[in-house]
Amino acid sequence: MRIVDPTFGLPGDTEVAPVAHEGIPEDALCLLSNSKPGATELLRAVAARLERERGFRDIGFASKPQAAHPTAEETLDHLAAQYRMAIVAIGD
């Protein structure tokens, strides 16, 4: 899974390996908290709004154990295998 800042995207020459999404709904979305103060609350509010205004259902949630450490590769791989999209919050 590659996490990209949507305000900048990826350079035009960047290759991204395709991920098989067989059997995963097109709107499969997860939220990933970096565990900073306020991040979970921010994500929960975003999820509620997406459910209310965009019809998303069964939004997944994951978080890092601590804000000081990167998200474990196993966690990212797990999320990439189950979801098509992720929203990441940094909090504070």
Side-chain angles (χ1 to χ4, degrees):
M1 175 182 279
R2 177 176 286 191
I3 298 175
V4 177
D5 179 342
T7 57
F8 298 106
L10 294 171
D13 60 346
T14 303
E15 288 188 34
V16 178
V19 177
H21 292 295
E22 195 171 310
I24 301 174
E26 288 187 19
D27 64 348
L29 170 68
C30 69
L31 309 175
L32 178 59
S33 170
N34 74 346
S35 298
K36 285 188 175 181
T40 298
E41 293 80 4
L42 174 64
L43 286 172
R44 296 288 185 204
V46 168
R49 188 167 181 179
L50 288 170
E51 289 171 345
R52 184 176 61 251
E53 295 180 12
R54 302 288 184 197
F56 279 86
R57 297 286 174 253
D58 302 320
I59 297 173
F61 182 83
S63 63
K64 299 183 341 177
Q66 303 178 21
H69 299 287
T71 305
E73 286 294 321
E74 301 83 34
T75 300
L76 295 176
D77 290 344
H78 172 76
L79 296 175
Q82 291 191 33
Y83 301 98
R84 290 188 184 228
M85 301 172 277
I87 296 175
V88 181
I90 59 172
D92 287 336

